[in-house]
Amino acid sequence: MMNRMAGCLKGSVAVMVVLATVVFQANCDSFGRKRVTSAKVLGFAWKNCGQPDAPAVLKSLTVSPDPINIPGSLTAAASGSTLVELASPLSVNVTLEKEVAGFWVQIPCLEQVGSCHYKDACDILNQLIPPGQDCPEPLHTYGLPCHCPFKAGSYSLPQSQFYLPYMDLPYWLSNGNYRVQGVLGGGGKELGCLKLSLSIHSN
């Protein structure tokens, strides 16, 4: 829902990066979308959900303001680490849920958005930012990668400002509370897991 700007958080932390990209990459296709003139994202929260020895973890993520206005400015900072190189094929299993009448209902995979399995997030990164092209700011300034492989080590994105433009949302992604979980995998092993929660209010 942060459209291509979600991709701008890529590389600072491979787990957050890949999850955000694959969940929202289909915004590039306007089929079945409705133009949102204004929206607010409230109560954004996150947590790691992998095993204690998971090699890829998000250590910190701060996003402001709350609510986040779309279109509008967003300030974000993040840090994370991976004990192993994250290389293609890098699978991501996404589970997206919406609260309906007090119950959490899983949203199926529709037009590559929802509870989907992505065989290789590295391919998606290459589609958003063609290989050989400089990484978008502020990643370029801080020397952060935006393509696979992500070398083992620590990554940090200092507090940076982004602009979130108008967007097209799937017709079913409207006002409500949402939860999303992304499980990152490679070589037949779970590498990391991240859960996000937020509320959307759109016009």
Side-chain angles (χ1 to χ4, degrees):
M1 65 210 62
M2 293 183 181
N3 206 354
R4 286 182 180 270
M5 292 311 299
C8 292
L9 292 178
K10 298 187 239 154
S12 58
V13 234
V15 184
M16 175 69 179
V17 169
V18 174
L19 174 60
T21 305
V22 298
V23 171
F24 306 121
Q25 60 92 19
N27 280 322
C28 299
D29 180 359
S30 61
F31 178 77
R33 306 291 193 267
K34 61 178 181 180
R35 175 50 58 105
V36 174
T37 56
S38 66
K40 294 182 184 294
V41 177
L42 302 90
F44 178 85
W46 66 275
K47 68 177 181 178
N48 290 298
C49 49
Q51 299 297 318
D53 59 349
V57 295
L58 183 65
K59 294 184 175 180
S60 68
L61 174 63
T62 58
V63 177
S64 63
D66 186 8
I68 299 167
N69 293 304
I70 303 175
S73 295
L74 164 71
T75 300
S79 66
S81 66
T82 175
L83 298 176
V84 299
E85 182 178 79
L86 303 179
S88 179
L90 199 60
S91 68
V92 179
N93 280 311
V94 175
T95 302
L96 179 62
E97 298 175 303
K98 181 178 182 179
E99 188 176 19
V100 179
F103 297 94
W104 288 99
V105 177
Q106 183 171 316
I107 297 173
C109 188
L110 301 171
E111 298 297 327
Q112 293 300 301
V113 177
S115 300
C116 303
H117 171 73
Y118 302 90
K119 292 183 178 180
D120 192 0
C122 296
D123 284 344
I124 296 174
L125 293 175
N126 289 338
Q127 292 172 26
L128 291 173
I129 307 171
Q133 180 177 311
D134 287 342
C135 293
E137 293 296 346
L139 303 186
H140 183 70
T141 294
Y142 295 114
L144 296 170
C146 58
H147 294 102
C148 298
F150 294 93
K151 296 180 180 179
S154 297
Y155 294 86
S156 179
L157 175 70
Q159 192 171 69
S160 304
Q161 191 169 62
F162 303 89
Y163 179 75
L164 304 180
Y166 290 104
M167 70 185 75
D168 294 323
L169 290 178
Y171 67 91
W172 46 262
L173 191 61
S174 56
N175 295 333
N177 300 321
Y178 293 88
R179 299 192 307 199
V180 57
Q181 174 178 292
V183 178
L184 188 67
K189 298 180 180 179
E190 181 178 316
L191 302 177
C193 177
L194 188 67
K195 284 186 177 181
L196 308 176
S197 61
L198 67 157
S199 297
I200 299 176
H201 296 275
S202 62
N203 296 325

